């Protein structure tokens, strides 16, 4: 997976009209706006965090050695096809700070500080890697990961966020093991203890075109369209909304393979649809 902004070509021009001009052609990306990201689905935000983890891993093990981004902030990144990519490497450095004692290996941030060990070679151990890790935590992970995450994943996410906030690179390793394959990884998706029981009536090859209500976050701006692992999770979501009286399983999936489901506030007008399955809440 490419983690840096792609350069497709460049042209150097030096003439009387336009001296010393370099024109570059790059792939098209969208500026990273944190407010907009917080309004997207958790699954999309997880994908961005996953891109960031790949970047952290590469920077820590690059062919040049451990690389730190001294200006590690959202403005240095763009989104390309749902993936996070670096656009500005002007402030990248491969120099590990020199030291004579541990007190020389002091990292200061607005919220907390760290003191790292000084190696026998006179270098602060893993300072580049840990600086990147903590900046990823304070600018990205702490906002994008816990917010509206699936309930069954929150304990694991809390451990990951806390580990990165403590500059524990093993928390990053846990994040890698948490990586979902495109065909749904059971460690990524939540499975509910409930089963599809008599509370819901299954109506195959049927859909409910209308009866929408809005929820957040949703993949559809005029309805409540969410991703689920299975019917059990859809039931849990529907039970959590007082207005939800039915849901429709579609044949569409997200990038991780989770199924998209429309949640409905009524089931008065069920229509035939060979590509969908409807579940209607049974009233007492």
């Amino acid at each position: 997976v490419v983690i840096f902004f792609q350069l497709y070509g460049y042209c150097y021009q030096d003439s009387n009209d336009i001296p010393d001009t370099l024109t570059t052609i790059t792939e098209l990306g969208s500026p990273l706006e944190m407010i907009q990201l917080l309004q997207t689905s958790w699954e999309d935000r997880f994908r961005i965090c996953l891109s960031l983890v790949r970047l952290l891993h590469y920077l820590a093990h690059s062919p040049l050695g451990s690389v730190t981004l001294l200006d590690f902030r959202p403005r240095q990144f763009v989104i390309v096809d749902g993936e996070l990519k670096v656009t500005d490497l002007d402030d990248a450095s491969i120099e590990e700070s020199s030291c004579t004692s541990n007190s020389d290996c002091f990292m200061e941030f607005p919220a907390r500080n760290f003191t790292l060990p000084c190696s026998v070679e006179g270098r602060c151990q893993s300072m580049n890697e840990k600086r990147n890790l903590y900046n990823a935590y304070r600018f990205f992970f702490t906002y994008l990961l816990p917010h509206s995450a699936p309930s069954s994943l929150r304990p694991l996410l809390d451990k990951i966020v806390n580990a990165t906030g403590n500059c524990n690179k093993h928390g990053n390793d846990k994040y890698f093991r948490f990586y979902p394959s495109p065909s749904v990884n059971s460690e990524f998706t939540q499975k509910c203890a409930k089963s599809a029981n008599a509370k819901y009536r299954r109506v195959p090859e049927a859909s409910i075109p209308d009866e929408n209500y809005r929820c957040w976050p949703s993949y559809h701006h005029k309805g409540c369209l969410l991703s689920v692992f299975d019917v059990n999770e859809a039931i849990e979501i529907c039970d959590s909304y007082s207005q939800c009286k039915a849901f429709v399983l579609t044949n569409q999936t997200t990038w991780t393979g989770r199924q998209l489901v429309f949640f409905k506030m009524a089931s008065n007008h069920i229509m035939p649809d060979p590509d969908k399955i409807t579940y209607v809440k049974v009233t007492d």
Side-chain angles (χ1 to χ4, degrees):
V1 178
V2 179
I3 55 178
F4 298 106
F5 209 48
Q6 290 298 285
L7 174 67
Y8 293 136
Y10 63 91
C11 178
Y12 175 74
Q13 184 174 356
D14 186 7
S15 65
N16 293 331
D17 297 331
I18 310 176
D20 300 327
T21 298
L22 181 67
T23 302
T24 61
I25 302 172
T26 66
E27 63 182 330
L28 183 63
S30 302
L32 195 153
E33 300 288 344
M34 194 61 66
I35 298 299
Q36 293 180 2
L37 283 182
L38 290 173
Q39 296 173 350
T40 63
S41 71
W42 181 85
E43 203 168 359
D44 288 342
R45 284 183 273 120
F46 177 84
R47 186 179 186 181
I48 290 171
C49 289
L50 188 60
S51 304
L52 185 56
V53 168
R54 295 193 189 102
L55 172 64
L56 292 173
H57 183 78
Y58 178 85
L59 293 176
H61 305 90
S62 81
L64 299 176
S66 182
V67 179
T68 187
L69 300 181
L70 298 176
D71 192 10
F72 200 120
R73 284 184 284 184
R75 68 184 183 186
Q76 307 287 49
F77 299 86
V78 296
I79 303 296
V80 180
D81 296 329
E83 301 281 350
L84 189 73
K85 294 191 178 185
V86 183
T87 61
D88 191 347
L89 295 174
D90 289 348
D91 296 306
S93 173
I94 60 173
E95 295 296 326
E96 293 277 17
S97 299
S98 59
C99 59
T100 56
S101 66
N102 291 352
S103 60
D104 295 328
C105 301
F106 184 71
M107 290 198 307
E108 184 176 7
F109 296 98
R112 63 177 304 180
N113 305 318
F114 300 91
T115 300
L116 304 180
C118 180
S119 70
V120 294
E121 293 83 11
R123 296 290 178 180
C124 296
Q125 292 184 17
S126 304
M127 178 170 278
N128 285 348
E129 181 179 3
K130 289 181 180 290
R131 182 184 287 114
N132 290 337
L133 185 60
Y134 188 78
N135 280 326
Y137 158 79
R138 71 189 184 109
F139 287 120
F140 294 94
F141 293 154
T142 189
Y143 299 110
L144 300 182
L145 268 182
H147 186 54
S148 71
S151 57
S152 66
L153 294 181
R154 286 172 188 162
L156 176 59
L157 292 172
D158 288 342
K159 291 179 181 178
I160 293 170
V161 172
N162 290 337
T164 55
N166 291 324
C167 265
N168 180 358
K169 62 182 180 181
H170 296 297
N172 216 19
D173 296 335
K174 289 180 181 178
Y175 203 92
F176 266 114
R177 291 197 295 271
F178 190 55
Y179 169 72
S181 64
S183 59
V184 179
N185 184 321
S186 60
E187 192 176 14
F188 165 66
T189 52
Q190 57 174 329
K191 292 201 69 174
C192 309
K194 297 180 181 180
S195 61
N197 52 35
K199 289 179 62 178
Y200 287 82
R201 176 170 56 91
R202 184 177 185 271
V203 185
E205 298 186 355
S207 179
I208 304 174
D210 301 312
E211 310 294 355
N212 289 315
Y213 66 90
R214 294 182 179 179
C215 67
W216 185 90
S218 173
Y219 287 91
H220 193 280
H221 68 283
K222 291 186 178 180
C224 186
L225 180 65
L226 304 174
S227 68
V228 303
F229 174 73
D230 58 10
V231 174
N232 295 330
E233 184 178 350
I235 287 176
E236 183 188 45
I237 292 174
C238 191
D239 286 345
S240 68
Y241 288 99
S242 59
Q243 64 267 55
C244 183
K245 304 301 179 185
F247 58 86
V248 179
L249 300 179
T250 73
N251 59 357
Q252 296 176 294
T253 59
T254 65
W255 67 280
T256 57
R258 285 168 63 90
Q259 192 169 13
L260 290 177
V261 176
F262 268 111
F263 293 87
K264 305 289 183 173
M265 62 182 179
S267 57
N268 298 325
H269 301 94
I270 298 178
M271 303 292 292
D273 190 326
D275 297 324
K276 296 181 177 64
I277 301 174
T278 294
Y279 283 79
V280 178
K281 185 178 290 187
V282 178
T283 57
D284 297 330

